[in-house]
Amino acid sequence: MELYFKATCVSAVDNAGELEEFSGYGLDLVSAPGVNVYGVLPEGENTFSNGTSFATTYVTGIAALAKSAYPSIQSNELAKVLKESKSTFNKKAAQ
């Protein structure tokens, strides 16, 4: 039996839509805010932070809203919608 790992890759962009240098890039990913994101640390302190983990929460939230609106949508279809509805922000992201 062969197993296939399928994932939606998420990159982080800043407030100008520019891909951050720490972020991955390519055609088969979705970008979301991941720079100077305001959040809460496990200790309960508020802070600004950076990372693709922050961007991933945005994409996960959008996916959850789409799934609640279209409960029968399959995960591969949802990933396709996310990827096809993305915007390319700069040349590095389009490589």
Side-chain angles (χ1 to χ4, degrees):
M1 180 170 118
E2 291 184 64
L3 297 177
Y4 295 96
F5 181 78
K6 305 219 184 249
T8 300
C9 300
V10 178
S11 65
V13 294
D14 62 18
N15 62 357
E18 294 293 319
L19 189 68
E20 276 304 300
E21 60 186 46
F22 61 78
S23 188
Y25 59 91
L27 292 176
D28 196 28
L29 53 79
V30 179
S31 298
V35 178
N36 290 326
V37 177
Y38 191 67
V40 180
L41 295 172
E43 301 81 31
E45 297 177 35
N46 296 329
T47 188
F48 287 94
S49 196
N50 305 320
T52 54
S53 295
F54 294 97
T56 301
T57 60
Y58 281 99
V59 176
T60 303
I62 292 167
L65 288 170
K67 185 70 174 170
S68 69
Y70 304 96
S72 63
I73 193 169
Q74 299 297 308
S75 59
N76 61 333
E77 295 172 308
L78 182 54
K80 183 178 177 186
V81 168
L82 289 170
K83 291 174 186 176
E84 289 178 352
S85 62
K86 69 180 182 181
S87 295
T88 300
F89 293 106
N90 60 29
K91 291 180 185 176
K92 186 176 179 183
Q95 293 176 346

